[in-house]
Amino acid sequence: MPVTSYRTCPLCEATCGLEITVDDGRVTRIRGDRADVFSKGFICPKGSTLGELHEDPDRLRRPQIRRGETWTSVTWEEAFAEIEARLLPIREQHGRNSIGVYLGNPNVHGLAGTLYVRPLVKALGTRSVFSASTVDQMPKHVSSGLMFGHPLTIPVPDIDRTDYLLMMGANPKASNGSLATAPDWPGRMEAIRGRGGRIVVVDPRRTESAEMADEHLFIRPGTDAAWLAALVTEVMRLGKVDAGRLTDHTRGLDRLPEVLEGLDADRVDRLTGIPAATTRRIAAELAAAPTAVVYGRLGTHAAAFGTLASWLTDVLNLITGNLDRPGGAMFPRAATETPRRRPFTTGRWHSRVRQHPEALGELPVAALAEEILTPGDGQIRALITVAGNPARSTPDSEGLARALESLEFMVSVDIYVNETTRHADVILPGPSQLQRGHYDVFLSALAIRNVAHYTPPVLPLDDGAPDEWEILARLAGGEPDAVTDGILAEMVQAALTDDMSPLHGRDPSEVTGLLGSRRGPERILDLMLRTGPYRLTLDDLLAAPHGLDHGPLVPRLPDVLRTPSGMAELAPEPLIADVARLEAALDGGGAPVGGEAGFVLVGRRHLRSNNSWMHNVKVLVKGKPRCTLQVHPDDADRLGLADGDPADVTSRTGKLTAPVEVTDSIRPGVVSLPHGWGHNVPGVVLAVASEHAGVNSNLLADEEAFDPLSGNAVLNGIPVQVNRVAS
Ligand SMILES: Nc1nc2c(c(=O)[nH]1)N[C@H]1C(S)=C(S)[C@@H](COP(=O)(O)OP(=O)(O)OC[C@H]3O[C@@H](n4cnc5c(=O)[nH]c(N)nc54)[C@H](O)[C@@H]3O)O[C@H]1N2
Ligand SMILES: Nc1nc2c(c(=O)[nH]1)N[C@H]1C(S)=C(S)[C@@H](COP(=O)(O)OP(=O)(O)OC[C@H]3O[C@@H](n4cnc5c(=O)[nH]c(N)nc54)[C@H](O)[C@@H]3O)O[C@H]1N2
Ligand code: SF4
Ligand SMILES: [Mo]
């Protein structure tokens, strides 16, 4: 008998509801859940492949131990015994920081990664912590921390109500959005125009999203911060600064004219490639629109001035009166929100080799290889990766591969033997997505509506296999239920002493009594929901398989501000200090790019791909190869390259050869390669992906190029040379 169940898609940030039909233990159909309160039936081609992922013969079902080149399936007890026998002596001999941790993107998309990774890091006691955040959104955390007092207090674009969307370095038609959770971005963009609103896209490529917009501006890569600074200056010159309701809750506005002096439309014209008249017009449009929102994402953040750009985005929203008001940039109120207290700082410690400051307890992943390869006290000798593929997603892949190979011991919690985990000694595979319950703790805190969904597992665990949270708890050195109790005890303690909490002043045992016999993340989630702003329980969510909708976002300032001053800080010192670096780039920059002068490389995403790990699903990789080097026809002519020809691409750190795709959708002087490819290396067990291998763009990303405030790598705007392959 076919059974229908509902599951939130865990693959990207859009959190679509899926309707899944299972017959005799096999998924027979996946389609969009039309009753879902948020996604209303929207689905993309990836969402319907969870069945293929589950059935993928290459997906690991049992722990693996590597001896030389050979992998052996072992029991879970054998795997954990091996880890204990090899990891503990390293820590005893070389200290806590000798064990490194790398946390990958899927951790954010699951309850286990969300709730059990921190206890793991705490149990290890290491400061050698790295994650995909420093090849992604760390600039937003840092600017939010400095401006609003907490790194997770991130404003999201209220795209359902805005009249004007200025979108930079984001391509939600392909990515379905990021730091702005909204199923069906494309439909919501159409709706903006449908109600007479305007969309302007700023991107060195005329993307699928740009095709949907009213206007597209070809910006020169890496110059978004300069352009945003000019927009702020021009709005100020127009005399249109109006923070509205927030005027009394804002500090530092008076410093901006002096700090940004001279950074105007004329000054950035040559550098950005955007004519001064256009910049002035956009500034005037932003100031005049009934509501408007500036939204920047990966192309703007994973760049040389990512934190400045992130800050200036919010400054622009604030001075045009659009921060924290409907149709502008707003702060979600998630059902699991906990009080945010900790004052924000960075640089509480530094990396050993190059003295990078930590941010959010992490070091820049661009420094991972050197921390492994450089001898001395505190050298990383063992590494644990959890749901990450740094060998494909972080800079200087060649250096990192050497580093991973040199480790004394490596454990990966992962479902594949891929470019990273092939270096591991032990791989611990969690169950497939369909075998786990799901709740988006992080993404619902970034959603453009206040919604909550919990979906239970669709399929049972394999016989005797632990759930992902149990694996992480065991790695943390504990018995899983005891680790859960430890997490709960901390949360209960915080709730009991918080006078805003419904549990304030109650007896701890009474509180845990409320949670019944649930185990693991569901037990913790139940507590988080009970103490959250809507006072829900997990049972409430189980009774609402299509989700609960708490409505559109509501203004939240000044309540959510956690800066020492209690104000929104428009001119935090570290950001002001970094403007000098931007000025220096302007002084030195503006030279033409392309041809003899060299090119700049940017990334891109495709709807049918997901970072590095969905290329083993046949229906997603079939068709035209997608890992191509996009080159403008004028550049191709000059270089003597035709569509499909191989071209050599060389940067300071590496070299690769990729097939050329000639397209006028890219700005002259710019070339683009997607990341996450390059699967044809020895030792990977990815039958389909190896046949559609592509090349690894992060061979070209430079481990010395990063945004100093956040430690985020520069993945967009990499100087490269492009040449015909000598025949
Ligand atoms: N040049 C360039 N580089 C980039 C980017 C770019 O735009 N350009 N984008 C960056 C961004 S935004 C990100 S987020 C990073 C991503 O960087 P990573 O997180 O390092 O890479 P992913 O490709 O997401 O790899 C996910 C890994 O988790 C495994 N996995 C999948 N599901 C699960 C699961 O449920 N449990 C476990 N345990 N493992 C699982 C997969 O097999 C894979 O090994 O890449 C970054 N790198
Ligand atoms: N299909 C699919 N969806 C995904 C993912 C995926 O791999 N595939 N990954 C997920 C993840 S982890 C993330 S973080 C999100 C990212 O989601 P987005 O932020 O939307 O990321 P991209 O689609 O890479 O779009 C970045 C855009 O920036 C442009 N760009 C490059 N350099 C510059 C620059 O200097 N200035 C400007 N203004 N633009 C520039 C690129 O041309 C590109 O179009 O997507 C998520 N969704
Ligand atoms: S858009 Fe994202 S969340 Fe929605 S179905 Fe596709 S991969 Fe899943
Ligand atoms: Mo990401």
Side-chain angles (χ1 to χ4, degrees), residues 440-455:
D440 280 299
V441 173
F442 286 120
L443 300 178
S444 46
L446 295 164
I448 63 139
R449 270 185 92 82
N450 290 317
V451 291
H453 295 78
Y454 172 79
T455 43

Side-chain angles (χ1 to χ4, degrees), residues 205-375:
R205 300 183 310 118
R206 188 174 62 246
T207 59
E208 297 88 334
S209 304
E211 299 278 4
M212 298 182 65
D214 297 273
E215 185 174 0
H216 168 233
L217 304 174
F218 277 111
I219 196 168
R220 192 166 131 183
T223 66
D224 294 40
W227 192 62
L228 285 159
L231 285 176
V232 172
T233 301
E234 297 299 338
V235 170
M236 292 191 295
R237 282 196 189 156
L238 286 170
K240 293 282 188 192
V241 172
D242 181 4
R245 188 177 59 82
L246 298 184
T247 308
D248 294 339
H249 304 291
T250 300
R251 236 172 54 139
L253 186 55
D254 52 333
R255 288 201 61 195
L256 292 181
E258 160 215 329
V259 169
L260 302 178
E261 206 204 316
L263 283 166
D264 62 11
D266 292 313
R267 175 94 190 279
V268 305
D269 175 311
R270 208 162 119 84
L271 182 83
T272 60
I274 300 180
T278 306
T279 305
R280 282 192 208 100
R281 173 173 53 81
I282 301 277
E285 286 175 8
L286 276 175
T291 64
V293 63
V294 188
Y295 161 70
R297 224 9 220 119
L298 212 68
T300 303
H301 294 155
F305 300 96
T307 308
L308 282 186
S310 171
W311 163 59
L312 290 163
T313 302
D314 293 342
V315 168
L316 205 44
N317 284 326
L318 194 142
I319 64 172
T320 53
N322 287 303
L323 190 73
D324 200 37
R325 83 159 174 201
M330 301 191 77
F331 300 93
R333 191 167 184 249
T336 50
E337 189 174 281
T338 47
R340 293 168 180 173
R341 294 194 191 287
R342 207 162 39 103
F344 177 76
T345 50
T346 59
R348 291 166 296 171
W349 57 86
H350 291 78
S351 72
R352 184 177 61 102
V353 179
R354 269 191 288 164
Q355 299 298 310
H356 291 295
E358 65 69 45
L360 270 74
E362 294 182 19
L363 298 170
V365 69
L368 176 57
E370 71 196 21
E371 292 295 328
I372 297 172
L373 289 169
T374 313

Side-chain angles (χ1 to χ4, degrees), residues 32-195:
D33 173 12
R34 271 175 278 183
D36 186 283
V37 295
F38 200 16
S39 63
K40 303 200 160 98
F42 179 80
I43 185 172
C44 88
K46 297 183 293 304
S48 54
T49 65
L50 289 183
E52 278 89 343
L53 266 180
H54 178 78
E55 301 289 343
D56 185 348
D58 290 336
R59 182 175 64 82
L60 300 173
R61 270 86 168 162
R62 297 188 53 198
Q64 308 289 314
I65 292 185
R66 182 168 61 91
R67 307 261 183 240
E69 300 304 307
T70 322
W71 290 99
T72 315
S73 286
V74 297
T75 65
W76 286 93
E77 290 320 310
E78 285 167 327
F80 285 115
E82 175 88 2
I83 293 167
E84 206 175 307
R86 295 186 59 188
L87 200 59
L88 295 187
I90 296 177
R91 191 165 84 159
E92 258 155 48
Q93 201 184 336
H94 301 287
R96 291 157 180 258
N97 294 340
S98 66
I99 302 183
V101 180
Y102 174 82
L103 307 168
N105 168 275
N107 285 302
V108 172
H109 297 264
L111 277 170
T114 301
L115 300 175
Y116 287 82
V117 149
R118 248 191 55 202
L120 167 62
V121 169
K122 209 167 142 191
L124 293 168
T126 179
R127 285 183 169 175
S128 305
V129 180
F130 305 82
S131 88
S133 293
T134 50
V135 277
D136 189 347
Q137 83 289 359
M138 193 58 93
K140 195 81 230 172
H141 291 309
V142 172
S143 77
S144 280
L146 293 170
M147 294 180 76
F148 310 120
H150 197 285
L152 297 176
T153 303
I154 295 176
V156 302
D158 185 11
I159 53 175
D160 284 355
R161 288 181 289 181
T162 198
D163 297 291
Y164 191 106
L165 172 64
L166 174 60
M167 183 157 76
M168 306 179 62
N171 183 14
K173 182 92 206 269
S175 70
N176 278 294
S178 181
L179 299 188
T181 282
D184 194 12
W185 253 89
R188 291 170 203 268
M189 283 171 68
E190 268 169 29
I192 294 176
R193 297 188 64 196
R195 59 179 181 262

Side-chain angles (χ1 to χ4, degrees), residues 455-532:
T455 43
V458 171
L459 298 171
L461 291 171
D462 297 347
D463 275 345
D467 204 340
E468 182 119 344
W469 69 272
E470 294 176 286
I471 299 172
L472 295 176
R474 288 283 305 264
L475 268 183
E479 189 280 315
D481 290 321
V483 172
T484 304
D485 286 345
I487 301 171
L488 278 171
E490 246 183 61
M491 286 185 173
V492 169
Q493 200 49 43
L496 294 176
T497 51
D498 172 16
D499 52 15
M500 306 276 286
S501 166
L503 304 180
H504 179 67
R506 284 168 80 168
D507 178 342
S509 63
E510 184 198 346
V511 175
T512 42
L514 291 173
L515 304 178
S517 59
R518 283 199 179 98
R519 297 177 62 217
E522 275 79 0
R523 188 172 175 80
I524 302 170
L525 178 62
D526 194 16
L527 179 73
M528 292 170 82
L529 291 166
R530 284 168 188 272
T531 52

